[in-house]
Amino acid sequence: MTKITYIEHDGTSHTVDAPEGLSVMEAAIRNMVPGIDADCGGACACATCHVYVDGDWAGKTGERSSMEESMLDFATDVRDTSRLSCQIKVTAELDGLTVHLPEHQG
Ligand code: FES
């Protein structure tokens, strides 16, 4: 199991055990982490699973695809560390990953 920590805008922290193969979005939904809506169910078509990857982890979560880039145009307050969490696959390498949740989501 890979541990992932989601930090809400107000600082509330949720650490979950995520099986490999799920997405970071799916692990949040399964554990009822607030702040991730995932309206499209992970099809990279809604941008309501927007997260900010904690600085140290940006290199390990991979690059945004061009489709993800396009969808992020619909998100608010997009930053360099913005990702769509449905596009990040949970792997053992991501054990300890921390992501921050945007203020206006959920
Ligand atoms: S769940 Fe819709 S873009 Fe990620």
Side-chain angles (χ1 to χ4, degrees):
M1 288 281 193
T2 298
K3 289 222 180 294
I4 301 178
T5 299
Y6 303 82
I7 301 177
E8 294 183 60
H9 182 74
D10 67 2
T12 307
S13 166
H14 308 264
T15 299
V16 309
D17 286 320
E20 285 180 47
L22 284 191
S23 68
V24 170
M25 172 281 277
E26 288 167 324
I29 298 292
R30 280 198 185 183
N31 290 279
M32 292 186 290
V33 174
I36 292 188
D37 289 345
D39 290 340
C40 77
C44 197
C46 72
T48 62
C49 63
H50 180 197
V51 298
Y52 304 114
V53 175
D54 202 66
D56 293 347
W57 288 96
K60 287 194 172 169
T61 49
E63 300 285 318
R64 300 173 189 161
S65 67
S66 56
M67 193 172 166
E68 185 178 349
E69 287 280 0
S70 308
M71 282 318 301
L72 277 168
D73 287 344
F74 296 97
T76 52
D77 193 15
V78 175
R79 304 173 193 167
D80 288 348
T81 56
S82 290
R83 291 295 310 272
L84 295 179
S85 57
C86 69
Q87 300 302 302
I88 305 173
K89 279 276 172 260
V90 175
T91 62
E93 233 202 336
L94 292 185
D95 189 35
L97 172 69
T98 299
V99 297
H100 300 264
L101 304 173
E103 182 174 8
H104 303 291
Q105 189 167 272

